[in-house]
């Protein structure tokens, strides 16, 4: 067996399954979205085995992007966990065959509770497909394993269909990046959206600021004292004129014999990269990465120098 060729073949089978799933999205998908949007309750996701693992991910994704959702194990549900389900909830049940015993046993209970049932399964004429209020076609032509048994293409397809459902709901609800950040305050994604440049920037006496006429000796003293790896060259009214970095200093001394006789205004980089004080930390990181720099001058709403932010500040804050 050629390992590379076999690996590519497996991925290609799953890719083709996703193409088929995309083509199967129809009016039933619209109905599922509208049902969940209209429901005052939550989405209860359930599935057994591999489908259960996928269901947990779908529930987690929904919850993180504005649709209240949680996972209930079907076997645990029929042994007491049904008490977690409220009458306004919508059940999203996953079973490739539509005949999974634990799922099938839940159907009459779901009906007795008067709950709406959305089925993600591969066979409309299965017990689950017939019992559902809405059937979403998650069928695949073949699993990626050589015996057409191991859940592979089918679980990939259901995961993609669940993601599509979660993200369409997110967009229909107007859930935005700030909402996402509020749901993820503990991770770097959330901090990158919640933490603002003004929360981390250096200001006042900690800010390395020099006038354009300052000598090299005074410039070095200012940069060494403030320890931010750069100095900002400003006019008396705080208009930013340029920037000089540690790297600039090293290059200057390597190429200029009269470097000590130069002024900051003669050595500075004009029109340095800047960022607004109200920008989010993630935007500062991207700007630094795109320009391969480690510090940014921070400008206030009036266009005047407000501070400086260094990559290390963002690292300490967990934004990176």
């Amino acid at each position: 067996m050629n390992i590379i060729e076999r690996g590519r073949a497996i991925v290609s089978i799953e890719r083709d399954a996703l193409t088929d799933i995309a083509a199967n999205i129809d009016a039933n998908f619209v109905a599922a979205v509208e049902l969940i949007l209209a429901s005052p309750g939550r989405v209860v996701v359930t599935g057994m085995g591999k489908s259960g693992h996928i269901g947990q991910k779908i529930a987690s994704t929904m919850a993180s992007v504005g649709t209240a959702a949680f996972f209930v194990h079907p076997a645990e549900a029929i042994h007491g966990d049904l008490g977690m389900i409220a009458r306004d909830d919508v059940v999203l049940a996953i079973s490739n065959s539509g005949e999974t015993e634990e799922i099938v046993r839940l159907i009459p209970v779901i009906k007795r509770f008067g709950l709406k049932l959305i089925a993600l399964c591969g066979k409309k004429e299965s017990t689950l497909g017939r019992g559902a209020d809405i059937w979403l076609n998650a069928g695949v032509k073949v699993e990626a394993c050589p015996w057409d048994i191991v859940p592979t293409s089918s679980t990939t397809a259901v995961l993609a269909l669940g993601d599509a459902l979660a993200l369409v709901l997110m967009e229909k609800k107007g859930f935005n990046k700030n909402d996402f950040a509020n749901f993820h305050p503990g991770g770097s994604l959330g901090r990158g959206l919640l933490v603002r440049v003004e929360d981390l920037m250096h200001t006042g006496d900690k800010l390395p600021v020099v006038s354009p006429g300052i000598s090299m000796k005074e410039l070095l003293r200012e940069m060494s004292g403030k320890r931010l790896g750069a100095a900002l060259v400003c006019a008396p009214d705080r208009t930013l004129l340029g920037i000089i970095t540690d790297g600039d200093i090293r290059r200057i001394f390597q190429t200029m014999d009269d470097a000590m006789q130069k002024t900051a205004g003669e050595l500075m980089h004009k029109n340095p990269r800047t960022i607004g004080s109200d920008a989010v930390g993630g935007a500062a990181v991207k700007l630094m990465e795109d320009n391969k720099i480690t510090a940014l001058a921070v400008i206030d709403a009036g266009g005047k120098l407000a501070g400086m932010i260094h990559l290390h500040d963002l690292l300490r804050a967990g934004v990176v």
Side-chain angles (χ1 to χ4, degrees):
M1 180 181 65
N2 185 304
I3 294 175
I4 292 176
E5 288 184 2
R6 183 57 187 147
R8 289 174 176 171
I10 290 168
V11 173
S12 294
I13 291 170
E14 299 205 12
R15 177 200 61 206
D16 292 343
L18 290 176
T19 300
D20 291 340
I21 287 296
N24 289 339
I25 292 178
D26 56 13
N28 286 339
F29 185 85
V30 176
V33 169
E34 291 177 344
L35 174 62
I36 295 171
L37 286 174
S39 172
R42 304 152 302 173
V43 176
V44 181
V45 185
T46 189
M48 195 70 189
K50 302 294 189 299
S51 294
H53 296 311
I54 297 300
Q56 291 179 55
K57 194 275 180 185
I58 292 172
S60 177
T61 298
M62 284 186 172
S64 71
V65 295
T67 297
F70 65 97
F71 178 81
V72 172
H73 193 286
E76 298 296 334
I78 58 178
H79 289 282
D81 280 1
L82 281 171
M84 300 167 63
I85 304 175
R87 293 194 179 275
D88 289 330
D89 292 340
V90 174
V91 177
L92 182 66
I94 305 169
S95 169
N96 182 42
S97 67
E99 301 294 345
T100 305
E101 180 183 355
E102 293 83 356
I103 298 293
V104 169
R105 291 178 66 182
L106 279 179
I107 296 174
V109 181
I110 292 169
K111 294 299 182 182
R112 188 167 66 248
F113 282 9
L115 303 175
K116 294 296 184 180
L117 174 61
I118 301 171
L120 268 70
C121 72
K123 299 176 182 178
K124 186 176 183 178
E125 296 307 314
S126 64
T127 303
L128 177 58
R130 293 195 310 271
D133 297 285
I134 299 170
W135 172 68
L136 297 182
N137 187 355
V140 298
K141 294 174 182 176
V142 63
E143 299 287 6
C145 84
W147 315 292
D148 191 21
I149 295 175
V150 180
T152 45
S153 301
S154 58
T155 49
T156 299
V158 169
L159 180 59
L161 193 55
D163 282 344
L165 197 57
L167 295 181
V168 169
L169 287 165
M170 177 190 76
E171 293 173 25
K172 292 289 288 184
K173 291 183 176 189
F175 191 90
N176 59 38
K177 286 197 300 184
N178 289 332
D179 297 319
F180 183 82
N182 289 329
F183 282 15
H184 298 75
S188 61
L189 285 173
R191 286 191 291 270
L193 293 168
L194 286 174
V195 176
R196 298 197 174 273
V197 169
E198 60 190 354
D199 300 325
L200 304 175
M201 68 183 185
H202 299 266
T203 61
D205 293 339
K206 296 180 180 180
L207 191 61
V209 178
V210 298
S211 65
I214 201 169
S215 68
M216 173 64 83
K217 183 177 180 180
E218 293 172 295
L219 171 63
L220 293 174
R221 184 182 296 116
E222 180 72 5
M223 292 178 66
S224 298
K226 302 301 171 62
R227 303 174 66 84
L228 287 178
L232 303 170
V233 185
C234 284
D237 66 351
R238 304 290 284 185
T239 297
L240 182 64
L241 302 175
I243 190 171
I244 302 172
T245 68
D246 282 344
D248 294 330
I249 295 295
R250 288 192 295 273
R251 286 186 287 272
I252 287 166
F253 276 105
Q254 289 172 355
T255 58
M256 290 186 183
D257 294 331
D258 59 344
M260 289 303 295
Q261 281 69 55
K262 298 292 185 180
T263 64
E266 293 173 311
L267 301 173
M268 69 183 183
H269 281 293
K270 296 180 180 179
N271 302 316
R273 298 292 179 183
T274 63
I275 194 166
S277 57
D278 61 344
V280 296
V285 173
K286 186 176 189 308
L287 192 55
M288 290 182 191
E289 289 178 341
D290 289 348
N291 293 279
K292 296 179 174 57
I293 55 178
T294 58
L296 288 168
V298 182
I299 303 301
D300 63 21
K304 303 297 184 181
L305 180 67
M308 177 187 283
I309 187 166
H310 195 280
L311 181 60
H312 291 164
D313 304 318
L314 297 158
L315 285 166
R316 281 192 292 270
V319 175
V320 180

